[in-house]
Amino acid sequence: MTTDIAPGLADMAPGLADMAPALVDIAPGLADMAPGLADMAPALVDIAPGLADMAPGLADMAPALVDIAPALVDIAPALVDIAPGLADIAPALVDTVNVVPFYKIPDS
């Protein structure tokens, strides 16, 4: 099996070498996250079929996501700034969604 993937690994080697310094920089953070990721593993296994079902739709969206990526990067600092406020109002938003009936807007 290793011989089957060897050419692919060889093709990836230059990119992995370029990534090495960044991986070294994030290693402590990844180590800190490991317990939480381990706790999430069973849930990830549970949602894997749903994610697989979503894959074709996500693939269809990919070009649009690439198009909007620069704008998302531009607004990221603002999103970080408002995140605490959103966290504060999230319970109220959930309550509203659970209480307010949704109506289909007629096509015009």
Side-chain angles (χ1 to χ4, degrees), residues 30-106:
L30 292 175
D32 291 342
M33 291 170 47
L37 294 174
D39 291 344
M40 289 173 47
L44 293 174
V45 169
D46 290 343
I47 66 170
L51 294 175
D53 291 345
M54 291 171 48
L58 294 174
D60 291 344
M61 290 172 44
L65 294 174
V66 169
D67 289 344
I68 66 169
L72 293 175
V73 170
D74 289 344
I75 67 169
L79 294 175
V80 169
D81 288 344
I82 67 169
L86 292 176
D88 291 342
I89 66 168
L93 292 174
V94 170
D95 290 345
T96 302
V97 168
N98 288 333
V99 171
V100 176
F102 286 93
Y103 298 98
K104 183 177 191 284
I105 297 172

Short mmCIF file of all heavy atoms in Angstrom, two decimals, residues 30-106:
data_model
loop_
_atom_site.label_atom_id
_atom_site.label_comp_id
_atom_site.label_asym_id
_atom_site.label_seq_id
_atom_site.Cartn_x
_atom_site.Cartn_y
_atom_site.Cartn_z
N LEU A 30 -2.38 23.38 18.67
CA LEU A 30 -3.02 22.10 18.34
C LEU A 30 -2.97 21.14 19.52
O LEU A 30 -3.94 20.44 19.80
CB LEU A 30 -2.34 21.47 17.11
CG LEU A 30 -2.54 22.22 15.79
CD1 LEU A 30 -1.72 21.54 14.70
CD2 LEU A 30 -4.00 22.28 15.41
N ALA A 31 -1.84 21.16 20.22
CA ALA A 31 -1.73 20.29 21.40
C ALA A 31 -2.74 20.69 22.47
O ALA A 31 -3.35 19.83 23.11
CB ALA A 31 -0.31 20.36 21.95
N ASP A 32 -2.95 22.01 22.63
CA ASP A 32 -3.95 22.49 23.59
C ASP A 32 -5.36 22.08 23.19
O ASP A 32 -6.22 21.83 24.04
CB ASP A 32 -3.89 24.01 23.74
CG ASP A 32 -2.60 24.49 24.41
OD1 ASP A 32 -1.92 23.67 25.06
OD2 ASP A 32 -2.30 25.69 24.29
N MET A 33 -5.60 22.00 21.87
CA MET A 33 -6.93 21.66 21.37
C MET A 33 -7.21 20.17 21.39
O MET A 33 -8.38 19.75 21.29
CB MET A 33 -7.08 22.16 19.93
CG MET A 33 -7.13 23.65 19.76
SD MET A 33 -7.02 24.17 18.01
CE MET A 33 -8.17 23.12 17.18
N ALA A 34 -6.19 19.35 21.51
CA ALA A 34 -6.35 17.90 21.36
C ALA A 34 -7.44 17.30 22.26
O ALA A 34 -8.26 16.52 21.77
CB ALA A 34 -5.01 17.20 21.58
N PRO A 35 -7.49 17.66 23.55
CA PRO A 35 -8.55 17.06 24.38
C PRO A 35 -9.95 17.41 23.87
O PRO A 35 -10.84 16.55 23.84
CB PRO A 35 -8.30 17.63 25.77
CG PRO A 35 -6.86 18.04 25.76
CD PRO A 35 -6.57 18.46 24.35
N GLY A 36 -10.14 18.65 23.47
CA GLY A 36 -11.46 19.05 22.95
C GLY A 36 -11.79 18.32 21.66
O GLY A 36 -12.94 17.91 21.44
N LEU A 37 -10.79 18.17 20.80
CA LEU A 37 -11.02 17.45 19.54
C LEU A 37 -11.36 15.99 19.81
O LEU A 37 -12.24 15.41 19.16
CB LEU A 37 -9.80 17.56 18.63
CG LEU A 37 -9.50 18.97 18.11
CD1 LEU A 37 -8.18 18.97 17.35
CD2 LEU A 37 -10.61 19.50 17.25
N ALA A 38 -10.69 15.41 20.80
CA ALA A 38 -10.99 14.01 21.16
C ALA A 38 -12.42 13.89 21.68
O ALA A 38 -13.12 12.92 21.35
CB ALA A 38 -10.00 13.52 22.21
N ASP A 39 -12.87 14.88 22.44
CA ASP A 39 -14.26 14.87 22.93
C ASP A 39 -15.26 14.99 21.78
O ASP A 39 -16.36 14.46 21.85
CB ASP A 39 -14.49 16.01 23.92
CG ASP A 39 -13.76 15.81 25.24
OD1 ASP A 39 -13.32 14.68 25.52
OD2 ASP A 39 -13.63 16.80 25.99
N MET A 40 -14.86 15.71 20.72
CA MET A 40 -15.75 15.92 19.58
C MET A 40 -15.81 14.72 18.64
O MET A 40 -16.73 14.61 17.82
CB MET A 40 -15.29 17.13 18.76
CG MET A 40 -15.49 18.47 19.43
SD MET A 40 -14.72 19.82 18.50
CE MET A 40 -15.22 19.54 16.82
N ALA A 41 -14.85 13.83 18.72
CA ALA A 41 -14.74 12.73 17.75
C ALA A 41 -16.04 11.93 17.59
O ALA A 41 -16.47 11.69 16.47
CB ALA A 41 -13.57 11.83 18.10
N PRO A 42 -16.69 11.53 18.70
CA PRO A 42 -17.93 10.76 18.51
C PRO A 42 -19.01 11.55 17.75
O PRO A 42 -19.70 10.99 16.90
CB PRO A 42 -18.39 10.44 19.94
CG PRO A 42 -17.15 10.54 20.76
CD PRO A 42 -16.31 11.60 20.12
N ALA A 43 -19.10 12.84 18.03
CA ALA A 43 -20.10 13.65 17.32
C ALA A 43 -19.74 13.76 15.85
O ALA A 43 -20.62 13.74 14.98
CB ALA A 43 -20.19 15.04 17.96
N LEU A 44 -18.45 13.89 15.55
CA LEU A 44 -18.03 13.97 14.15
C LEU A 44 -18.37 12.68 13.40
O LEU A 44 -18.79 12.72 12.25
CB LEU A 44 -16.54 14.28 14.06
CG LEU A 44 -16.12 15.67 14.56
CD1 LEU A 44 -14.61 15.79 14.56
CD2 LEU A 44 -16.75 16.76 13.73
N VAL A 45 -18.21 11.56 14.08
CA VAL A 45 -18.57 10.28 13.47
C VAL A 45 -20.08 10.26 13.20
O VAL A 45 -20.53 9.81 12.13
CB VAL A 45 -18.15 9.10 14.37
CG1 VAL A 45 -18.75 7.79 13.88
CG2 VAL A 45 -16.63 9.01 14.42
N ASP A 46 -20.86 10.79 14.13
CA ASP A 46 -22.31 10.82 13.95
C ASP A 46 -22.74 11.69 12.78
O ASP A 46 -23.70 11.37 12.08
CB ASP A 46 -23.01 11.32 15.23
CG ASP A 46 -22.94 10.32 16.37
OD1 ASP A 46 -22.63 9.13 16.12
OD2 ASP A 46 -23.18 10.74 17.52
N ILE A 47 -22.05 12.82 12.58
CA ILE A 47 -22.49 13.73 11.52
C ILE A 47 -21.82 13.44 10.18
O ILE A 47 -22.17 14.05 9.17
CB ILE A 47 -22.27 15.21 11.91
CG1 ILE A 47 -20.80 15.57 12.05
CG2 ILE A 47 -23.08 15.57 13.14
CD1 ILE A 47 -20.53 17.05 12.19
N ALA A 48 -20.88 12.51 10.14
CA ALA A 48 -20.17 12.22 8.90
C ALA A 48 -21.10 11.90 7.74
O ALA A 48 -20.90 12.42 6.63
CB ALA A 48 -19.15 11.10 9.12
N PRO A 49 -22.14 11.08 7.93
CA PRO A 49 -23.03 10.82 6.79
C PRO A 49 -23.70 12.09 6.26
O PRO A 49 -23.83 12.28 5.05
CB PRO A 49 -24.06 9.84 7.34
CG PRO A 49 -23.37 9.19 8.51
CD PRO A 49 -22.49 10.26 9.09
N GLY A 50 -24.08 12.96 7.17
CA GLY A 50 -24.69 14.22 6.73
C GLY A 50 -23.71 15.09 5.97
O GLY A 50 -24.06 15.72 4.97
N LEU A 51 -22.47 15.12 6.44
CA LEU A 51 -21.45 15.89 5.73
C LEU A 51 -21.21 15.30 4.34
O LEU A 51 -21.04 16.05 3.37
CB LEU A 51 -20.14 15.91 6.53
CG LEU A 51 -20.20 16.66 7.86
CD1 LEU A 51 -18.87 16.50 8.61
CD2 LEU A 51 -20.52 18.12 7.66
N ALA A 52 -21.21 13.99 4.26
CA ALA A 52 -21.04 13.35 2.95
C ALA A 52 -22.19 13.72 2.02
O ALA A 52 -21.98 13.97 0.83
CB ALA A 52 -20.94 11.84 3.12
N ASP A 53 -23.41 13.79 2.57
CA ASP A 53 -24.57 14.19 1.75
C ASP A 53 -24.44 15.63 1.27
O ASP A 53 -24.92 15.97 0.19
CB ASP A 53 -25.87 14.04 2.55
CG ASP A 53 -26.24 12.59 2.81
OD1 ASP A 53 -25.66 11.69 2.16
OD2 ASP A 53 -27.09 12.36 3.69
N MET A 54 -23.81 16.47 2.08
CA MET A 54 -23.66 17.88 1.74
C MET A 54 -22.54 18.13 0.74
O MET A 54 -22.48 19.20 0.12
CB MET A 54 -23.36 18.70 3.01
CG MET A 54 -24.50 18.80 3.98
SD MET A 54 -24.00 19.55 5.56
CE MET A 54 -23.08 20.99 5.08
N ALA A 55 -21.63 17.19 0.57
CA ALA A 55 -20.44 17.42 -0.24
C ALA A 55 -20.74 17.92 -1.65
O ALA A 55 -20.11 18.89 -2.10
CB ALA A 55 -19.58 16.15 -0.29
N PRO A 56 -21.70 17.33 -2.37
CA PRO A 56 -21.95 17.85 -3.73
C PRO A 56 -22.40 19.31 -3.72
O PRO A 56 -21.96 20.10 -4.56
CB PRO A 56 -23.06 16.94 -4.26
CG PRO A 56 -22.96 15.69 -3.45
CD PRO A 56 -22.49 16.13 -2.10
N GLY A 57 -23.24 19.68 -2.77
CA GLY A 57 -23.67 21.08 -2.68
C GLY A 57 -22.53 22.00 -2.35
O GLY A 57 -22.42 23.11 -2.89
N LEU A 58 -21.66 21.57 -1.45
CA LEU A 58 -20.50 22.39 -1.11
C LEU A 58 -19.57 22.53 -2.31
O LEU A 58 -19.02 23.61 -2.55
CB LEU A 58 -19.75 21.78 0.08
CG LEU A 58 -20.52 21.78 1.40
CD1 LEU A 58 -19.73 21.01 2.46
CD2 LEU A 58 -20.81 23.18 1.86
N ALA A 59 -19.43 21.46 -3.08
CA ALA A 59 -18.61 21.54 -4.28
C ALA A 59 -19.20 22.54 -5.27
O ALA A 59 -18.46 23.30 -5.91
CB ALA A 59 -18.48 20.16 -4.92
N ASP A 60 -20.53 22.56 -5.38
CA ASP A 60 -21.18 23.53 -6.26
C ASP A 60 -20.94 24.97 -5.79
O ASP A 60 -20.85 25.89 -6.59
CB ASP A 60 -22.68 23.27 -6.34
CG ASP A 60 -23.03 22.00 -7.08
OD1 ASP A 60 -22.15 21.46 -7.81
OD2 ASP A 60 -24.18 21.53 -6.94
N MET A 61 -20.88 25.14 -4.46
CA MET A 61 -20.69 26.47 -3.89
C MET A 61 -19.24 26.95 -3.94
O MET A 61 -18.97 28.14 -3.78
CB MET A 61 -21.14 26.48 -2.42
CG MET A 61 -22.61 26.36 -2.21
SD MET A 61 -23.03 26.15 -0.44
CE MET A 61 -22.02 27.34 0.39
N ALA A 62 -18.31 26.05 -4.13
CA ALA A 62 -16.89 26.39 -4.02
C ALA A 62 -16.49 27.60 -4.86
O ALA A 62 -15.80 28.49 -4.35
CB ALA A 62 -16.03 25.18 -4.35
N PRO A 63 -16.90 27.68 -6.14
CA PRO A 63 -16.48 28.86 -6.91
C PRO A 63 -16.97 30.18 -6.30
O PRO A 63 -16.23 31.16 -6.26
CB PRO A 63 -17.09 28.62 -8.30
CG PRO A 63 -17.28 27.15 -8.38
CD PRO A 63 -17.60 26.70 -6.98
N ALA A 64 -18.20 30.18 -5.80
CA ALA A 64 -18.72 31.39 -5.18
C ALA A 64 -17.96 31.71 -3.90
O ALA A 64 -17.68 32.89 -3.61
CB ALA A 64 -20.21 31.25 -4.90
N LEU A 65 -17.62 30.68 -3.13
CA LEU A 65 -16.87 30.91 -1.90
C LEU A 65 -15.49 31.49 -2.21
O LEU A 65 -15.01 32.38 -1.49
CB LEU A 65 -16.74 29.61 -1.10
CG LEU A 65 -18.05 29.06 -0.54
CD1 LEU A 65 -17.83 27.71 0.11
CD2 LEU A 65 -18.66 30.03 0.46
N VAL A 66 -14.89 31.02 -3.28
CA VAL A 66 -13.59 31.57 -3.69
C VAL A 66 -13.76 33.04 -4.06
O VAL A 66 -12.92 33.88 -3.72
CB VAL A 66 -12.99 30.76 -4.86
CG1 VAL A 66 -11.79 31.46 -5.47
CG2 VAL A 66 -12.60 29.37 -4.37
N ASP A 67 -14.86 33.36 -4.74
CA ASP A 67 -15.10 34.75 -5.14
C ASP A 67 -15.28 35.67 -3.94
O ASP A 67 -14.83 36.82 -3.96
CB ASP A 67 -16.34 34.85 -6.04
CG ASP A 67 -16.11 34.26 -7.43
OD1 ASP A 67 -14.94 34.06 -7.81
OD2 ASP A 67 -17.11 34.02 -8.12
N ILE A 68 -15.97 35.18 -2.90
CA ILE A 68 -16.24 36.06 -1.75
C ILE A 68 -15.16 36.00 -0.68
O ILE A 68 -15.19 36.79 0.27
CB ILE A 68 -17.63 35.79 -1.12
CG1 ILE A 68 -17.70 34.41 -0.48
CG2 ILE A 68 -18.73 36.01 -2.12
CD1 ILE A 68 -18.95 34.20 0.37
N ALA A 69 -14.20 35.11 -0.82
CA ALA A 69 -13.16 34.96 0.21
C ALA A 69 -12.47 36.28 0.54
O ALA A 69 -12.28 36.59 1.72
CB ALA A 69 -12.15 33.89 -0.20
N PRO A 70 -12.07 37.08 -0.46
CA PRO A 70 -11.41 38.35 -0.09
C PRO A 70 -12.30 39.25 0.76
O PRO A 70 -11.82 39.88 1.71
CB PRO A 70 -11.10 39.00 -1.45
CG PRO A 70 -11.05 37.86 -2.42
CD PRO A 70 -12.08 36.87 -1.91
N ALA A 71 -13.58 39.29 0.45
CA ALA A 71 -14.48 40.12 1.25
C ALA A 71 -14.61 39.56 2.67
O ALA A 71 -14.67 40.32 3.64
CB ALA A 71 -15.86 40.19 0.58
N LEU A 72 -14.65 38.24 2.80
CA LEU A 72 -14.73 37.64 4.13
C LEU A 72 -13.48 37.98 4.94
O LEU A 72 -13.57 38.26 6.14
CB LEU A 72 -14.91 36.13 4.02
CG LEU A 72 -16.24 35.67 3.44
CD1 LEU A 72 -16.24 34.15 3.28
CD2 LEU A 72 -17.41 36.12 4.29
N VAL A 73 -12.34 37.96 4.29
CA VAL A 73 -11.10 38.33 4.97
C VAL A 73 -11.16 39.79 5.41
O VAL A 73 -10.75 40.13 6.53
CB VAL A 73 -9.87 38.08 4.07
CG1 VAL A 73 -8.61 38.68 4.66
CG2 VAL A 73 -9.70 36.58 3.84
N ASP A 74 -11.72 40.65 4.57
CA ASP A 74 -11.83 42.07 4.91
C ASP A 74 -12.74 42.30 6.11
O ASP A 74 -12.47 43.18 6.93
CB ASP A 74 -12.36 42.87 3.72
CG ASP A 74 -11.35 43.00 2.59
OD1 ASP A 74 -10.14 42.73 2.82
OD2 ASP A 74 -11.77 43.36 1.46
N ILE A 75 -13.83 41.53 6.20
CA ILE A 75 -14.77 41.77 7.30
C ILE A 75 -14.45 40.95 8.55
O ILE A 75 -15.07 41.15 9.59
CB ILE A 75 -16.23 41.54 6.88
CG1 ILE A 75 -16.52 40.08 6.56
CG2 ILE A 75 -16.63 42.46 5.75
CD1 ILE A 75 -18.00 39.77 6.40
N ALA A 76 -13.48 40.07 8.47
CA ALA A 76 -13.16 39.20 9.61
C ALA A 76 -12.90 39.99 10.90
O ALA A 76 -13.43 39.63 11.95
CB ALA A 76 -11.99 38.29 9.28
N PRO A 77 -12.11 41.09 10.85
CA PRO A 77 -11.89 41.82 12.11
C PRO A 77 -13.19 42.35 12.71
O PRO A 77 -13.38 42.32 13.93
CB PRO A 77 -10.96 42.97 11.70
CG PRO A 77 -10.27 42.48 10.46
CD PRO A 77 -11.30 41.62 9.76
N ALA A 78 -14.09 42.81 11.87
CA ALA A 78 -15.37 43.30 12.39
C ALA A 78 -16.18 42.16 12.99
O ALA A 78 -16.83 42.33 14.02
CB ALA A 78 -16.16 43.99 11.27
N LEU A 79 -16.14 41.00 12.35
CA LEU A 79 -16.87 39.86 12.90
C LEU A 79 -16.31 39.46 14.26
O LEU A 79 -17.07 39.12 15.17
CB LEU A 79 -16.80 38.68 11.93
CG LEU A 79 -17.54 38.87 10.59
CD1 LEU A 79 -17.29 37.68 9.69
CD2 LEU A 79 -19.03 39.08 10.81
N VAL A 80 -14.99 39.53 14.39
CA VAL A 80 -14.37 39.21 15.68
C VAL A 80 -14.82 40.22 16.73
O VAL A 80 -15.10 39.86 17.87
CB VAL A 80 -12.83 39.17 15.54
CG1 VAL A 80 -12.16 39.11 16.90
CG2 VAL A 80 -12.42 38.00 14.67
N ASP A 81 -14.91 41.49 16.32
CA ASP A 81 -15.34 42.53 17.27
C ASP A 81 -16.77 42.33 17.75
O ASP A 81 -17.08 42.58 18.90
CB ASP A 81 -15.21 43.92 16.64
CG ASP A 81 -13.76 44.36 16.48
OD1 ASP A 81 -12.87 43.76 17.11
OD2 ASP A 81 -13.53 45.32 15.71
N ILE A 82 -17.65 41.88 16.84
CA ILE A 82 -19.06 41.75 17.24
C ILE A 82 -19.40 40.38 17.81
O ILE A 82 -20.50 40.18 18.33
CB ILE A 82 -20.02 42.11 16.08
CG1 ILE A 82 -19.94 41.09 14.94
CG2 ILE A 82 -19.80 43.52 15.59
CD1 ILE A 82 -21.03 41.24 13.91
N ALA A 83 -18.47 39.45 17.74
CA ALA A 83 -18.75 38.09 18.20
C ALA A 83 -19.26 38.04 19.65
O ALA A 83 -20.24 37.33 19.92
CB ALA A 83 -17.53 37.20 18.03
N PRO A 84 -18.63 38.78 20.58
CA PRO A 84 -19.16 38.69 21.96
C PRO A 84 -20.61 39.15 22.05
O PRO A 84 -21.41 38.55 22.77
CB PRO A 84 -18.23 39.61 22.76
CG PRO A 84 -16.96 39.66 21.95
CD PRO A 84 -17.40 39.57 20.52
N GLY A 85 -20.95 40.19 21.33
CA GLY A 85 -22.34 40.65 21.34
C GLY A 85 -23.28 39.63 20.75
O GLY A 85 -24.39 39.43 21.24
N LEU A 86 -22.85 38.98 19.66
CA LEU A 86 -23.68 37.95 19.07
C LEU A 86 -23.88 36.79 20.03
O LEU A 86 -24.97 36.23 20.12
CB LEU A 86 -23.05 37.45 17.76
CG LEU A 86 -23.04 38.44 16.60
CD1 LEU A 86 -22.30 37.84 15.42
CD2 LEU A 86 -24.45 38.84 16.21
N ALA A 87 -22.82 36.46 20.75
CA ALA A 87 -22.94 35.38 21.74
C ALA A 87 -23.94 35.75 22.82
O ALA A 87 -24.70 34.90 23.29
CB ALA A 87 -21.57 35.08 22.36
N ASP A 88 -23.97 37.04 23.19
CA ASP A 88 -24.91 37.49 24.22
C ASP A 88 -26.36 37.39 23.75
O ASP A 88 -27.25 37.08 24.54
CB ASP A 88 -24.61 38.93 24.64
CG ASP A 88 -23.31 39.06 25.41
OD1 ASP A 88 -22.81 38.03 25.92
OD2 ASP A 88 -22.80 40.19 25.50
N ILE A 89 -26.60 37.68 22.47
CA ILE A 89 -27.99 37.67 21.99
C ILE A 89 -28.41 36.34 21.39
O ILE A 89 -29.57 36.15 21.06
CB ILE A 89 -28.26 38.82 20.99
CG1 ILE A 89 -27.47 38.64 19.70
CG2 ILE A 89 -28.01 40.17 21.64
CD1 ILE A 89 -27.92 39.55 18.58
N ALA A 90 -27.48 35.42 21.26
CA ALA A 90 -27.81 34.13 20.63
C ALA A 90 -29.00 33.42 21.29
O ALA A 90 -29.89 32.94 20.57
CB ALA A 90 -26.58 33.22 20.60
N PRO A 91 -29.06 33.36 22.62
CA PRO A 91 -30.22 32.67 23.22
C PRO A 91 -31.55 33.33 22.83
O PRO A 91 -32.53 32.63 22.55
CB PRO A 91 -29.97 32.78 24.73
CG PRO A 91 -28.49 32.94 24.85
CD PRO A 91 -28.08 33.74 23.64
N ALA A 92 -31.56 34.64 22.77
CA ALA A 92 -32.80 35.33 22.38
C ALA A 92 -33.14 35.04 20.92
O ALA A 92 -34.31 34.88 20.57
CB ALA A 92 -32.65 36.84 22.60
N LEU A 93 -32.13 34.97 20.08
CA LEU A 93 -32.38 34.64 18.67
C LEU A 93 -32.96 33.24 18.53
O LEU A 93 -33.90 33.01 17.77
CB LEU A 93 -31.10 34.77 17.85
CG LEU A 93 -30.56 36.18 17.66
CD1 LEU A 93 -29.20 36.13 16.95
CD2 LEU A 93 -31.52 37.04 16.88
N VAL A 94 -32.41 32.31 19.30
CA VAL A 94 -32.92 30.93 19.25
C VAL A 94 -34.36 30.90 19.74
O VAL A 94 -35.22 30.26 19.12
CB VAL A 94 -32.02 30.00 20.09
CG1 VAL A 94 -32.67 28.63 20.26
CG2 VAL A 94 -30.66 29.88 19.44
N ASP A 95 -34.64 31.62 20.82
CA ASP A 95 -36.02 31.66 21.32
C ASP A 95 -36.96 32.24 20.27
O ASP A 95 -38.07 31.75 20.08
CB ASP A 95 -36.11 32.50 22.60
CG ASP A 95 -35.45 31.82 23.79
OD1 ASP A 95 -35.18 30.60 23.71
OD2 ASP A 95 -35.18 32.52 24.78
N THR A 96 -36.51 33.28 19.57
CA THR A 96 -37.34 33.91 18.55
C THR A 96 -37.61 32.94 17.41
O THR A 96 -38.74 32.80 16.94
CB THR A 96 -36.64 35.18 18.01
OG1 THR A 96 -36.41 36.07 19.10
CG2 THR A 96 -37.48 35.86 16.95
N VAL A 97 -36.58 32.25 16.97
CA VAL A 97 -36.74 31.29 15.88
C VAL A 97 -37.69 30.17 16.29
O VAL A 97 -38.50 29.71 15.48
CB VAL A 97 -35.37 30.72 15.46
CG1 VAL A 97 -35.53 29.52 14.54
CG2 VAL A 97 -34.54 31.80 14.78
N ASN A 98 -37.64 29.78 17.54
CA ASN A 98 -38.51 28.70 18.01
C ASN A 98 -39.96 29.15 18.18
O ASN A 98 -40.86 28.32 18.18
CB ASN A 98 -37.98 28.13 19.32
CG ASN A 98 -36.72 27.32 19.12
OD1 ASN A 98 -36.50 26.77 18.04
ND2 ASN A 98 -35.88 27.26 20.13
N VAL A 99 -40.18 30.45 18.35
CA VAL A 99 -41.52 30.95 18.62
C VAL A 99 -42.18 31.51 17.36
O VAL A 99 -43.36 31.30 17.12
CB VAL A 99 -41.48 32.04 19.72
CG1 VAL A 99 -42.82 32.74 19.86
CG2 VAL A 99 -41.05 31.43 21.04
N VAL A 100 -41.42 32.23 16.56
CA VAL A 100 -42.00 32.91 15.40
C VAL A 100 -42.21 31.90 14.28
O VAL A 100 -41.27 31.24 13.86
CB VAL A 100 -41.06 34.04 14.92
CG1 VAL A 100 -41.61 34.68 13.64
CG2 VAL A 100 -40.87 35.07 16.01
N PRO A 101 -43.45 31.79 13.81
CA PRO A 101 -43.68 30.86 12.69
C PRO A 101 -43.05 31.41 11.42
O PRO A 101 -42.98 32.62 11.22
CB PRO A 101 -45.20 30.79 12.57
CG PRO A 101 -45.68 32.05 13.21
CD PRO A 101 -44.67 32.44 14.24
N PHE A 102 -42.61 30.53 10.57
CA PHE A 102 -42.03 30.95 9.31
C PHE A 102 -43.08 30.81 8.21
O PHE A 102 -43.76 29.78 8.12
CB PHE A 102 -40.79 30.09 8.98
CG PHE A 102 -39.62 30.46 9.82
CD1 PHE A 102 -39.36 29.80 11.00
CD2 PHE A 102 -38.79 31.49 9.45
CE1 PHE A 102 -38.30 30.15 11.80
CE2 PHE A 102 -37.70 31.84 10.23
CZ PHE A 102 -37.46 31.17 11.40
N TYR A 103 -43.18 31.83 7.42
CA TYR A 103 -44.13 31.83 6.32
C TYR A 103 -43.36 31.90 5.02
O TYR A 103 -42.37 32.62 4.92
CB TYR A 103 -45.09 33.03 6.42
CG TYR A 103 -45.92 32.99 7.66
CD1 TYR A 103 -45.58 33.73 8.79
CD2 TYR A 103 -47.08 32.21 7.71
CE1 TYR A 103 -46.34 33.69 9.93
CE2 TYR A 103 -47.85 32.18 8.85
CZ TYR A 103 -47.48 32.92 9.96
OH TYR A 103 -48.23 32.86 11.09
N LYS A 104 -43.85 31.19 4.03
CA LYS A 104 -43.23 31.24 2.71
C LYS A 104 -43.63 32.54 2.06
O LYS A 104 -44.81 32.89 2.00
CB LYS A 104 -43.67 30.06 1.86
CG LYS A 104 -42.99 30.03 0.51
CD LYS A 104 -43.40 28.80 -0.27
CE LYS A 104 -42.57 28.61 -1.47
NZ LYS A 104 -42.77 29.39 -2.59
N ILE A 105 -42.64 33.28 1.60
CA ILE A 105 -42.93 34.53 0.90
C ILE A 105 -43.36 34.15 -0.52
O ILE A 105 -42.64 33.42 -1.22
CB ILE A 105 -41.68 35.43 0.88
CG1 ILE A 105 -41.31 35.78 2.30
CG2 ILE A 105 -41.92 36.66 0.02
CD1 ILE A 105 -39.99 36.52 2.43
N PRO A 106 -44.52 34.62 -0.91
CA PRO A 106 -44.99 34.26 -2.25
C PRO A 106 -44.05 34.77 -3.34
O PRO A 106 -43.47 35.84 -3.20
CB PRO A 106 -46.36 34.95 -2.36
CG PRO A 106 -46.67 35.51 -1.03
CD PRO A 106 -45.42 35.50 -0.21
#
